[in-house]
């Protein structure tokens, strides 16, 4: 997802709910639906979901991590 400065970032459920103007319960249902449809991916730290990111961003990072040093440059 894109943060306020146009940079890719992950957003918490609270941040998403504020942005789309829904309460957290409704936002959670929306995010769960988008997760099932493989549109967003949960960001997990220490066995807890700390935010969500677009699957495209998640896959881009995974792909970049597999590149060799020359390809990364």
């Amino acid at each position: 997802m894109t943060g306020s400065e146009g940079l890719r970032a992950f957003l918490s459920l609270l941040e998403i709910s504020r942005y789309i103007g829904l309460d957290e319960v409704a936002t959670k249902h929306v995010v769960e639906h988008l997760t099932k449809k493989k549109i967003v991916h949960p960001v997990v730290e220490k066995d807890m979901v700390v935010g969500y990111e677009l699957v495209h961003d998640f896959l881009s990072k995974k792909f970049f991590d597999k590149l060799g040093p020359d390809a990364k440059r």
Side-chain angles (χ1 to χ4, degrees), residues 1-2 13 29 32 38 43 49 51 53 56-57 67-68 70-71:
M1 298 189 189
T2 305
L13 196 59
H29 289 296
E32 287 172 352
K38 308 231 185 280
V43 177
V49 175
E53 64 184 345
H56 173 269
D57 295 344
L67 294 176
D70 292 335

Side-chain angles (χ1 to χ4, degrees), residues 1-9:
M1 298 189 189
T2 305
S4 60
E5 297 177 12
L7 302 173
R8 285 193 325 235

